[in-house]
Amino acid sequence: LLADALFDDAFVRAVVRAIGDRASVPMAGGRLQFQPAPAYAGLVDRAALAAAAIARPGSDGAQALVLIGETLQLQALRRVRPGLHPALQLGRFLAARAGPAPVLPIAGALDHVADGGTPTTLALLQAQVQNQGDGRAWVEAYLDRFLDDWRTDPAAERVSVPADVHGACLLLLQTVGRCSGALHQALA
Protein backbone atom coordinates (compact mmCIF):
# COMPACT_ATOMS: atom_id res chain seq x y z
CA LEU A 1 0.00 0.00 0.00
CA LEU A 2 1.39 3.38 -1.01
CA ALA A 3 0.08 6.53 0.70
CA ASP A 4 0.90 10.22 0.43
CA ALA A 5 1.80 11.54 3.89
CA LEU A 6 0.49 14.98 2.92
CA PHE A 7 -3.03 13.54 3.21
CA ASP A 8 -2.41 12.84 6.90
CA ASP A 9 -3.34 15.97 8.90
CA ALA A 10 -1.17 14.85 11.83
CA PHE A 11 1.85 14.59 9.51
CA VAL A 12 1.27 18.09 8.12
CA ARG A 13 1.00 19.55 11.64
CA ALA A 14 4.14 17.64 12.69
CA VAL A 15 6.11 19.15 9.78
CA VAL A 16 5.02 22.67 10.79
CA ARG A 17 6.05 22.03 14.43
CA ALA A 18 9.35 20.42 13.37
CA ILE A 19 10.21 23.51 11.32
CA GLY A 20 9.68 25.68 14.39
CA ASP A 21 11.71 23.28 16.54
CA ARG A 22 14.66 23.23 14.09
CA ALA A 23 14.39 19.43 14.10
CA SER A 24 17.05 17.33 12.42
CA VAL A 25 16.37 13.71 11.46
CA PRO A 26 19.38 11.55 10.53
CA MET A 27 18.93 9.22 7.56
CA ALA A 28 21.07 7.25 5.15
CA GLY A 29 23.08 9.65 3.02
CA GLY A 30 22.40 12.74 5.12
CA ARG A 31 19.68 14.24 7.26
CA LEU A 32 16.34 16.01 7.06
CA GLN A 33 16.79 19.56 8.33
CA PHE A 34 13.75 21.60 9.37
CA GLN A 35 14.58 25.32 9.32
CA PRO A 36 12.37 28.17 10.54
CA ALA A 37 12.70 31.55 8.90
CA PRO A 38 12.63 34.76 10.94
CA ALA A 39 8.93 35.18 10.05
CA TYR A 40 7.96 31.79 11.59
CA ALA A 41 7.12 33.17 15.03
CA GLY A 42 4.84 35.85 13.58
CA LEU A 43 3.11 33.52 11.12
CA VAL A 44 2.63 30.28 13.06
CA ASP A 45 0.25 30.14 16.01
CA ARG A 46 1.34 26.84 17.53
CA ALA A 47 -1.56 26.81 19.98
CA ALA A 48 -4.09 27.12 17.13
CA LEU A 49 -2.26 24.63 14.89
CA ALA A 50 -3.99 21.57 16.40
CA ALA A 51 -7.44 22.90 15.48
CA ALA A 52 -6.52 24.50 12.15
CA ALA A 53 -8.45 23.21 9.16
CA ILE A 54 -6.29 21.39 6.63
CA ALA A 55 -7.23 21.61 2.94
CA ARG A 56 -5.65 20.26 -0.20
CA PRO A 57 -6.68 22.36 -3.21
CA GLY A 58 -4.75 20.16 -5.60
CA SER A 59 -1.32 19.56 -6.93
CA ASP A 60 0.51 19.39 -10.17
CA GLY A 61 3.47 17.31 -11.18
CA ALA A 62 5.95 19.75 -9.64
CA GLN A 63 4.37 20.43 -6.25
CA ALA A 64 1.61 19.57 -3.82
CA LEU A 65 -0.06 22.33 -1.85
CA VAL A 66 -1.58 21.98 1.62
CA LEU A 67 -3.47 24.90 3.17
CA ILE A 68 -3.25 25.12 6.97
CA GLY A 69 -5.96 27.27 8.47
CA GLU A 70 -6.31 30.60 6.71
CA THR A 71 -2.75 31.77 7.26
CA LEU A 72 -0.27 29.07 6.15
CA GLN A 73 0.50 26.90 3.17
CA LEU A 74 2.90 23.99 2.93
CA GLN A 75 4.29 23.52 -0.56
CA ALA A 76 5.86 20.08 -0.99
CA LEU A 77 8.13 19.93 -4.00
CA ARG A 78 7.80 16.86 -6.22
CA ARG A 79 10.67 17.62 -8.60
CA VAL A 80 13.70 18.42 -6.51
CA ARG A 81 17.23 19.34 -7.49
CA PRO A 82 20.29 19.80 -5.33
CA GLY A 83 20.42 23.31 -3.90
CA LEU A 84 17.98 25.67 -2.26
CA HIS A 85 14.69 26.33 -4.05
CA PRO A 86 14.63 29.75 -5.79
CA ALA A 87 11.53 30.83 -3.81
CA LEU A 88 13.39 30.11 -0.57
CA GLN A 89 16.46 32.03 -1.74
CA LEU A 90 14.35 34.99 -2.89
CA GLY A 91 12.31 34.98 0.32
CA ARG A 92 15.45 35.00 2.46
CA PHE A 93 17.00 37.76 0.38
CA LEU A 94 13.91 39.96 0.59
CA ALA A 95 13.45 39.30 4.32
CA ALA A 96 16.99 40.55 4.90
CA ARG A 97 16.32 43.81 3.02
CA ALA A 98 14.78 46.81 4.74
CA GLY A 99 11.07 47.28 4.23
CA PRO A 100 8.31 44.88 3.28
CA ALA A 101 8.23 43.36 -0.19
CA PRO A 102 5.03 42.21 -1.90
CA VAL A 103 5.81 38.48 -1.76
CA LEU A 104 4.58 35.62 0.38
CA PRO A 105 6.66 35.58 3.57
CA ILE A 106 8.61 32.37 4.11
CA ALA A 107 7.97 30.75 7.50
CA GLY A 108 10.47 27.94 7.00
CA ALA A 109 11.65 25.02 4.93
CA LEU A 110 12.44 21.34 4.98
CA ASP A 111 15.72 20.38 3.33
CA HIS A 112 17.55 17.14 2.78
CA VAL A 113 21.19 17.85 3.58
CA ALA A 114 23.49 15.28 2.00
CA ASP A 115 26.48 13.91 3.92
CA GLY A 116 28.66 16.23 1.83
CA GLY A 117 26.64 19.26 2.98
CA THR A 118 24.60 19.91 -0.18
CA PRO A 119 21.03 20.95 0.70
CA THR A 120 18.00 20.05 -1.43
CA THR A 121 14.76 21.85 -0.60
CA LEU A 122 11.86 19.42 -0.17
CA ALA A 123 9.14 21.73 1.17
CA LEU A 124 8.40 25.39 1.87
CA LEU A 125 6.16 26.76 4.61
CA GLN A 126 4.78 30.14 3.59
CA ALA A 127 2.11 32.63 4.51
CA GLN A 128 -1.18 32.07 2.74
CA VAL A 129 -2.84 35.05 1.13
CA GLN A 130 -6.46 34.96 0.02
CA ASN A 131 -6.62 35.95 -3.64
CA GLN A 132 -8.64 35.77 -6.82
CA GLY A 133 -6.04 33.97 -8.90
CA ASP A 134 -3.44 35.47 -11.16
CA GLY A 135 -3.76 38.98 -12.53
CA ARG A 136 -4.03 38.07 -16.19
CA ALA A 137 -6.89 35.60 -15.59
CA TRP A 138 -8.67 38.17 -13.40
CA VAL A 139 -8.46 40.91 -16.08
CA GLU A 140 -9.59 38.49 -18.81
CA ALA A 141 -12.59 37.41 -16.70
CA TYR A 142 -13.46 41.06 -15.98
CA LEU A 143 -13.33 41.98 -19.68
CA ASP A 144 -15.35 38.88 -20.63
CA ARG A 145 -18.06 39.86 -18.12
CA PHE A 146 -18.07 43.47 -19.33
CA LEU A 147 -18.33 42.51 -23.00
CA ASP A 148 -20.99 39.86 -22.30
CA ASP A 149 -23.06 42.44 -20.44
CA TRP A 150 -22.61 44.94 -23.26
CA ARG A 151 -23.58 42.42 -25.97
CA THR A 152 -26.60 41.03 -24.14
CA ASP A 153 -28.08 44.31 -22.88
CA PRO A 154 -30.27 45.83 -25.64
CA ALA A 155 -30.28 49.18 -23.81
CA ALA A 156 -26.49 49.37 -23.96
CA GLU A 157 -26.59 50.61 -27.54
CA ARG A 158 -28.68 53.62 -26.49
CA VAL A 159 -26.67 54.55 -23.41
CA SER A 160 -23.27 56.16 -23.57
CA VAL A 161 -20.54 54.49 -21.53
CA PRO A 162 -19.34 56.57 -18.55
CA ALA A 163 -15.74 57.72 -18.78
CA ASP A 164 -14.85 55.87 -15.57
CA VAL A 165 -16.61 52.60 -16.45
CA HIS A 166 -13.36 50.68 -15.86
CA GLY A 167 -12.29 52.78 -12.86
CA ALA A 168 -12.38 49.97 -10.28
CA CYS A 169 -10.47 47.64 -12.57
CA LEU A 170 -7.86 50.29 -13.30
CA LEU A 171 -7.47 51.00 -9.59
CA LEU A 172 -6.68 47.33 -8.94
CA LEU A 173 -4.24 47.27 -11.87
CA GLN A 174 -2.49 50.35 -10.44
CA THR A 175 -2.14 48.49 -7.13
CA VAL A 176 -0.60 45.51 -8.95
CA GLY A 177 1.76 47.93 -10.71
CA ARG A 178 2.82 49.52 -7.40
CA CYS A 179 3.46 46.07 -5.89
CA SER A 180 5.48 45.02 -8.93
CA GLY A 181 7.47 48.25 -8.72
CA ALA A 182 8.12 47.70 -4.99
CA LEU A 183 9.36 44.19 -5.72
CA HIS A 184 11.72 45.46 -8.43
CA GLN A 185 12.95 48.17 -6.07
CA ALA A 186 13.65 45.59 -3.37
CA LEU A 187 15.59 43.48 -5.86
CA ALA A 188 17.64 46.45 -7.13
Side-chain angles (χ1 to χ4, degrees):
L1 176 67
L2 181 63
D4 186 339
L6 293 174
F7 282 89
D8 180 349
D9 292 357
F11 174 82
V12 171
R13 289 182 176 96
V15 169
V16 174
R17 284 191 303 272
I19 288 172
D21 294 341
R22 295 184 180 275
S24 183
V25 179
M27 58 185 300
R31 71 183 186 283
L32 293 178
Q33 187 64 54
F34 297 82
Q35 290 279 86
Y40 182 92
L43 293 172
V44 179
D45 181 350
R46 291 183 69 136
L49 182 60
I54 307 285
R56 294 157 187 90
S59 64
D60 58 30
Q63 65 184 8
L65 188 63
V66 179
L67 304 179
I68 305 158
E70 295 184 8
T71 59
L72 292 172
Q73 65 182 29
L74 182 65
Q75 177 185 12
L77 306 172
R78 303 266 191 218
R79 296 181 188 155
V80 297
R81 297 181 184 175
L84 298 177
H85 191 274
L88 180 59
Q89 291 178 323
L90 183 61
R92 286 179 177 171
F93 173 79
L94 291 172
R97 309 271 302 197
V103 296
L104 290 177
I106 301 287
L110 166 58
D111 297 325
H112 173 265
V113 181
D115 284 336
T118 301
T120 300
T121 304
L122 303 177
L124 297 171
L125 182 63
Q126 297 176 284
Q128 178 190 156
V129 176
Q130 299 297 321
N131 64 72
Q132 295 177 341
D134 68 79
R136 178 181 173 163
W138 185 86
V139 170
E140 287 175 354
Y142 167 80
L143 291 173
D144 283 343
R145 284 190 309 274
F146 175 79
L147 292 173
D148 284 345
D149 290 347
W150 185 259
R151 285 190 297 259
T152 59
D153 183 1
E157 293 178 21
R158 296 184 298 264
V159 178
S160 63
V161 177
D164 67 343
V165 68
H166 301 295
C169 181
L170 292 175
L171 184 63
L172 288 171
L173 291 175
Q174 289 170 348
T175 301
V176 169
R178 278 193 301 279
C179 288
S180 179
L183 178 59
H184 284 90
Q185 187 66 32
L187 292 171

